[in-house]
Amino acid sequence: MIRVTRKYRFSASHRLHAAGLSDVENAGLYGKCNNPYGHGHDYEIEVSARGPLEPRSGRAIDPAALDRLVEEQVLRPFDHKYLNTESAAFQKTVPTTENLAREIYTRLQASWNSVFPGPWPLLDKVRIAETPRNIFEVSETHG
């Protein structure tokens, strides 16, 4: 079994603010990330897939096909967007990077079989770095 990981980058902004909490509670919970004007990140994501080597090509995954899927499902919808208002996924969900990672994984998984119709490769995990110190990972067993 081979795991292949591809890296991608996009920039987006967000404000961490939960509708069910007061302004004081939000400020206490999210600190500077609750800035009313939002703030941005240059996200780096890693998308990992796994599978056996395909005998004819000697590869476990077609990287160009994965690149097209990530472009369609991740980069176009999120790059240079204010996630709170420009993404339907975050209209009612706080756009934490944890939630962003889950959303990216869900989007890729939902379209995976249309790009990779056979039993292999499988989407293994999505890893997203918000900053050099804040890194989040979602795997196939997320709930």
Side-chain angles (χ1 to χ4, degrees):
M1 200 60 52
I2 303 290
R3 176 181 290 138
V4 177
T5 301
R6 302 273 294 170
K7 287 186 178 185
Y8 306 89
R9 289 183 171 82
F10 69 93
S11 299
S13 61
H14 63 171
R15 178 186 187 206
L16 301 186
H17 188 87
L21 300 176
S22 71
D23 288 345
V24 171
E25 290 171 312
N26 272 294
L29 180 61
Y30 298 119
K32 66 183 180 179
C33 297
N34 183 244
N35 178 337
Y37 302 104
H39 64 282
H41 296 284
D42 294 319
Y43 293 102
E44 182 176 281
I45 64 170
E46 297 177 5
V47 177
S48 298
R50 63 184 163 82
L53 288 178
E54 197 276 320
R56 292 181 324 159
S57 69
R59 301 188 309 184
I61 189 169
D62 177 353
L66 180 58
D67 290 350
R68 286 189 300 273
L69 179 63
V70 171
E71 173 69 30
E72 176 186 305
Q73 294 299 322
V74 180
L75 303 181
R76 260 188 255 148
F78 297 129
D79 192 28
H80 289 90
K81 301 288 195 272
Y82 181 55
L83 299 177
N84 298 67
T85 60
E86 295 183 78
S87 174
F90 299 110
Q91 296 297 306
K92 295 181 181 179
T93 302
V94 180
T96 61
T97 304
E98 294 94 319
N99 282 330
L100 180 58
R102 283 181 49 162
E103 178 64 19
I104 290 169
Y105 187 96
T106 299
R107 285 169 168 264
L108 293 174
Q109 188 64 54
S111 298
W112 194 263
N113 289 337
S114 67
V115 177
F116 302 106
W120 300 104
L122 298 176
L123 178 59
D124 192 41
K125 68 179 179 177
V126 169
R127 181 178 162 104
I128 183 168
E130 174 186 77
T131 69
R133 292 182 60 196
N134 294 335
I135 301 165
F136 307 86
E137 193 171 291
V138 178
S139 67
E140 61 190 334
T141 58
H142 83 279

